[in-house]
Amino acid sequence: MSTPTVTVIVPGRDVGAFAEEALASLRAQTRTDFRVILVDDASRDATSEIFAAAAAQDPRVTLLRHEVARGLGASRNEALDLVDTPYVGFFDADDIMTPGALDALVGSLEESDSDIAVGAYVRLRADAAGHYAPGVVQPWVAASTSPARRRTTLAEHPDVSGNIVAWSKVSRTDLWRREGLRFTEDKAYEDQIVAQQLYAAAEAIDVLPDVVVQWRERADGTSITQRRHAVPVLRDYLDGMRDGLAVLDAAGHPAAARSRVRLILDMDVPALVRVAEHHPDDAYRQLLGAFTRDLTDRAVREDVVLEGASASLLAEARAW
């Protein structure tokens, strides 16, 4: 067995319906010099057995298990402490990694000597019969990763700031160590802040238009991103976006911050307004209204050009 070059951290809780397919996509990688750290976050379904079987069958796989659920952030942080390979990446146990993903991301870093390689992703949605199929690369994903760039920077390519998910990238382990980077714990959307910290700290970034992950939108609506109707989840979501912007501001990246403001107001807020319009709890509208007022005021101050299609929804949110 070759010496591992990259560690893939895979947390999971109650993902038994999808974990076997997710782990099969890891085993199918065209690049094989990887190690996997699975973190079973106190699952109550078949996840524990699936993870245990994977660790028993493949010497590249290490299993950690929590008796009490600690969340995605804590699970990823615990595994990060065990990483001893030059590169590290993340993967969620209900998604699918495309066969050439590690080859593309790690190979790019080996050739360019950059700190982070960022790939594209698509949603994996179920049809009426419950069969999942991948969609197309969405415009905001393409803006962050296309065309291909080697050794770019956040200042040169500010739209990369829109790629805020943990699992679309591979980075140098020593970047995490040097900057003391950790995921936020006890909150959802824990990857928003650390993504901006990575971009701001990186000396060089590679972006690849290759689709590296198919991101599952579960048919039963149990994904975190599908629970934005819950007031605590909304609060975490807004905090993640707000705190990610604060990272860019503190690091002195105004172009990236403007790009992020534009994307949030054009894409994130309008979708939340549609939820808020019919939400039974006024607290939901109040949270979203305050956030929208702050961000639209900032957009005016900084001459951020927004899509006209979102104007009426933003005006509605400002009034809450």
Side-chain angles (χ1 to χ4, degrees), residues 258-270:
R258 284 195 300 272
S259 176
R260 193 77 187 103
V261 167
R262 183 182 67 251
L263 185 58
I264 292 170
L265 289 176
D266 281 341
M267 184 187 72
D268 296 272
V269 171

Side-chain angles (χ1 to χ4, degrees), residues 16-99:
F18 313 110
E20 286 186 347
E21 186 176 17
L23 297 181
S25 74
L26 267 177
R27 290 191 293 270
Q29 289 298 298
T30 55
R31 183 170 189 132
T32 60
D33 59 338
F34 62 85
R35 154 177 206 224
V36 177
I37 302 178
L38 302 177
V39 187
D40 174 13
D41 192 29
S43 294
R44 300 156 297 181
D45 67 355
T47 303
S48 299
E49 290 73 23
I50 294 168
F51 277 16
Q57 295 164 9
D58 191 334
R60 297 174 298 181
V61 179
T62 299
L63 174 61
L64 306 177
R65 189 173 194 285
H66 298 158
E67 294 300 323
V68 176
R70 297 176 55 195
L72 274 174
S75 297
R76 288 173 176 154
N77 287 338
E78 181 182 9
L80 268 170
D81 290 338
L82 302 180
V83 174
D84 58 3
T85 54
Y87 305 104
V88 61
F90 301 89
F91 181 52
D92 284 355
D94 55 352
D95 295 338
I96 296 174
M97 188 178 290
T98 59

Side-chain angles (χ1 to χ4, degrees), residues 56-282:
Q57 295 164 9
D58 191 334
R60 297 174 298 181
V61 179
T62 299
L63 174 61
L64 306 177
R65 189 173 194 285
H66 298 158
E67 294 300 323
V68 176
R70 297 176 55 195
L72 274 174
S75 297
R76 288 173 176 154
N77 287 338
E78 181 182 9
L80 268 170
D81 290 338
L82 302 180
V83 174
D84 58 3
T85 54
Y87 305 104
V88 61
F90 301 89
F91 181 52
D92 284 355
D94 55 352
D95 295 338
I96 296 174
M97 188 178 290
T98 59
L102 290 181
D103 224 346
L105 293 168
V106 178
S108 183
L109 292 178
E110 289 177 327
E111 292 176 11
S112 68
D113 203 33
S114 292
D115 292 310
I116 312 170
V118 185
Y121 57 88
V122 295
R123 287 183 185 269
L124 192 63
R125 286 193 169 110
D127 61 19
H131 300 128
Y132 286 90
V136 299
V137 176
Q138 293 297 312
W140 72 89
V141 179
S144 69
T145 56
S146 184
R149 295 172 171 87
R150 291 284 180 90
R151 292 196 63 79
T152 190
T153 65
L154 185 57
E156 294 168 349
H157 180 41
D159 284 350
V160 75
S161 65
N163 192 315
I164 48 78
V165 293
W167 34 257
S168 65
K169 48 188 71 74
V170 164
S171 49
R172 290 187 176 276
T173 305
D174 63 7
L175 178 62
W176 290 81
R177 302 281 190 261
R178 186 172 69 246
E179 299 295 326
L181 300 181
R182 310 287 285 180
F183 287 92
T184 303
E185 299 188 10
D186 301 321
K187 298 185 80 169
Y189 299 96
E190 70 293 327
D191 40 7
Q192 293 248 6
I193 301 170
V194 78
Q196 308 303 355
Q197 291 172 327
L198 283 166
Y199 295 142
E203 292 182 6
I205 302 168
D206 295 351
V207 297
L208 292 75
D210 313 58
V211 173
V212 295
V213 170
Q214 296 175 2
W215 168 34
R216 191 182 306 272
E217 188 173 279
R218 298 183 201 170
D220 63 3
T222 57
S223 300
I224 290 173
T225 53
Q226 293 169 273
R227 300 203 303 269
R228 292 174 185 165
H229 61 279
V231 171
V233 175
L234 174 69
R235 185 177 290 109
D236 286 354
Y237 187 23
L238 299 180
D239 284 349
M241 292 188 288
R242 187 182 290 112
D243 293 345
L245 278 169
V247 170
L248 298 175
D249 290 339
H253 287 283
R258 284 195 300 272
S259 176
R260 193 77 187 103
V261 167
R262 183 182 67 251
L263 185 58
I264 292 170
L265 289 176
D266 281 341
M267 184 187 72
D268 296 272
V269 171
L272 293 170
V273 172
R274 293 186 182 96
V275 174
E277 287 173 331
H278 308 287
H279 203 282
D281 192 341
D282 280 340

